[in-house]
Amino acid sequence: MTALAPPPPATVRDRFDLAPTPLLPDGFGVRASRWTHPSVRMRELLRTEPYLFGPGVYDPFGAQLVMHHGFKAVYFSGYSFAIGHLGTTDMDLYSGPEIADGARRTVAALRKYQLTAAVGDPEKGVRPRHLDIPPVIVDMDAGYGNIFNVQRTTELYVTAGVAAAHLEDQVLPKRCGHIGGKALVSAIEMIGKLRMMRAVADDLGNPEFVVIARTDGLSAIDAPQSERGMDLAVDRGLRYMDSGIPDLLWCEFPTADREPVETFTTEIRKRFPDARFAFNYSSSFKWFNDPQPLTFAELGEMGVGFIFITLGGQHANGHGLSTLLTAMVERQEQGYIELQRREWDPSADFPTRSHHQFSGVPYHHLVGKAYDAGRLGTEFAEVLPADKVV
């Protein structure tokens, strides 16, 4: 590669944790964790963190923002995917290959953003940021069919670099855990699907792939057994754990009430004292009305290893865009200018305020120049005043 000026000095931690890659010019580096498999990375985090939190997103852009702000996991939400890509609800209206392709593009985007951030913008004095790639955990709904649909989807997830996936025990077509009318398949059928997930990951050489088993037994109105409510949820949870397959167990709760969470985790741990759980800090609940909402720390003490807010990104995007559109209805161009003022406030940290930097224009110029690509290099960039353009 063509030699380039080295980046600004890294922090002490970075200097001991950076490695070169042929996808960066000389003098730049990325965290060595780039070459740690995402499933291995997730297991390390589950072992060493009080809990692992993953904000819910549905596209590469949202995942890159999660990574930029230092979160250690990304949750790829099925409901958000349905809204964001199909404009519909969470009732099994997309297929396994569709969401698998979204997850694949998201994993690739995170790897790309690590390179983009590691360059910064030398021309504008923007220092590199050395970021770890967060593992991506993806919704697999009820498997989109029988065990062979599970086989196909798991293969797509594993080969995409997904760290983990969760599977639920609803009949097809499934529905969001907070939409009424849920029904369950037999425990035997669900366990067969879990076994298939594990078998596919093992066959593909990823025995560390994290399998999350979800039960909707707590609020299901129909199931091929007599128990209902908490009895059904606990029975299903114990059966799934008895299979030896799940790394994490998830019970979907109909409300944000504390007592059912405590009851479920306690009952499961009577037989499996080391059981770890996943918890949906659901956007369906009005947490702001709860005088003492469950905290992430409290959940971690109950044995919850992975916490996520399924539709957090979707609600944030809806709020932000609606705020802009309302302002532009009222004040036309001034509504957008106000947004820019907030973005470029010196005290703010909005990485997307320069869409060129966030999407990697400086990276493409530097690497393109190093690889002798046509018309790539900072000498082709117009010299424009910084107070005029991004």
Side-chain angles (χ1 to χ4, degrees):
M1 285 190 174
T2 304
L4 295 167
T11 66
V12 173
R13 181 185 186 277
D14 288 339
R15 285 199 298 270
F16 292 100
D17 194 31
L18 296 184
T21 166
L23 297 180
L24 285 174
D26 294 339
F28 293 83
V30 293
R31 291 269 172 84
S33 61
R34 179 179 180 84
W35 296 282
T36 300
H37 193 283
S39 296
V40 173
R41 172 83 174 148
M42 182 173 178
R43 287 184 181 271
E44 290 174 350
L45 292 167
L46 288 171
R47 186 177 65 254
T48 58
E49 299 287 327
Y51 58 84
L52 180 62
F53 174 67
V57 302
Y58 56 90
D59 62 6
F61 177 74
Q64 289 174 328
L65 281 171
V66 169
M67 178 176 171
H68 177 90
H69 287 285
F71 289 95
K72 296 181 179 180
V74 168
Y75 177 66
F76 197 87
S77 161
Y79 200 154
S80 290
F81 181 81
I83 295 174
H85 291 264
L86 298 179
T88 188
T89 191
D90 187 17
M91 291 180 127
D92 234 8
L93 297 175
Y94 54 83
S95 66
E98 284 180 282
I99 191 169
D101 183 62
R104 175 191 61 79
R105 289 183 284 106
T106 297
V107 172
L110 293 176
R111 293 184 63 82
K112 177 62 180 301
Y113 188 67
Q114 187 184 49
L115 301 173
T116 297
V119 165
D121 191 345
E123 292 292 316
K124 295 184 178 180
V126 178
R127 294 186 59 211
R129 292 171 60 94
H130 298 116
L131 304 172
D132 290 310
I133 300 173
V136 178
I137 298 90
V138 184
D139 194 342
M140 199 190 286
D141 295 301
Y144 314 108
N146 62 23
I147 60 168
F148 298 107
N149 298 92
V150 172
Q151 179 183 22
R152 182 186 183 196
T153 306
T154 305
E155 180 175 348
L156 292 171
Y157 282 8
V158 172
T159 55
V162 167
H166 62 77
L167 184 73
E168 62 205 61
D169 54 5
Q170 288 192 48
V171 301
L172 299 169
K174 61 86 61 180
R175 59 193 65 191
C176 166
H178 303 113
I179 296 176
K182 294 183 295 179
L184 306 189
V185 298
S186 69
I188 292 175
E189 180 177 345
M190 173 63 173
I191 291 169
K193 290 181 175 181
L194 291 170
R195 289 170 58 200
M196 178 59 80
M197 286 180 70
R198 181 75 275 150
V200 170
D202 290 350
D203 179 70
L204 291 171
N206 184 11
E208 304 299 326
F209 187 76
V210 178
V211 174
I212 304 171
R214 164 176 152 177
T215 181
D216 283 81
L218 190 56
S219 55
I221 63 168
D222 191 16
Q225 59 193 98
S226 59
E227 296 95 338
R228 289 295 182 271
M230 183 60 74
D231 289 341
L232 176 57
V234 170
D235 179 75
R236 284 301 182 96
L238 291 174
R239 290 196 194 194
Y240 303 157
M241 294 299 290
D242 278 333
S243 73
I245 300 297
D247 299 292
L248 297 169
L249 181 64
W250 168 14
C251 177
E252 185 72 298
F253 297 97
T255 70
D257 293 345
R258 181 183 303 264
E259 183 177 356
V261 184
E262 293 174 338
T263 299
F264 181 80
T265 55
T266 298
E267 289 300 312
I268 295 297
R269 283 194 150 188
K270 286 179 180 178
R271 187 186 301 177
F272 297 95
D274 297 324
R276 302 292 301 280
F277 304 94
F279 184 83
N280 176 12
Y281 208 90
S282 176
S283 304
S284 295
F285 307 149
K286 292 181 178 177
W287 295 97
F288 62 89
N289 282 339
D290 192 329
Q292 288 186 308
L294 280 165
T295 67
F296 292 176
E298 288 174 324
L299 290 166
E301 291 171 359
M302 293 181 199
V304 175
F306 178 54
I307 305 169
F308 48 102
I309 301 178
T310 44
L311 290 117
Q314 185 268 336
H315 278 278
N317 289 346
H319 178 276
L321 184 55
S322 293
T323 299
L324 169 64
L325 296 176
T326 299
M328 293 185 70
V329 166
E330 296 172 351
R331 297 183 292 282
Q332 293 80 50
E333 77 287 341
Q334 290 302 314
Y336 184 72
I337 292 171
E338 290 164 7
L339 168 65
Q340 285 195 317
R341 287 197 182 100
R342 292 192 296 272
E343 285 184 308
W344 289 93
D345 186 303
S347 64
D349 177 21
F350 292 105
T352 56
R353 62 187 179 184
S354 171
H355 46 270
H356 293 319
Q357 182 183 324
F358 187 81
S359 62
V361 170
Y363 168 81
H364 285 85
H365 274 304
L366 287 173
V367 175
K369 180 72 172 179
Y371 277 91
D372 300 316
R375 300 183 306 284
L376 282 171
T378 55
E379 65 268 29
F380 295 105
E382 293 180 82
V383 179
L384 299 171
D387 62 335
K388 295 290 186 180
V389 295
V390 303

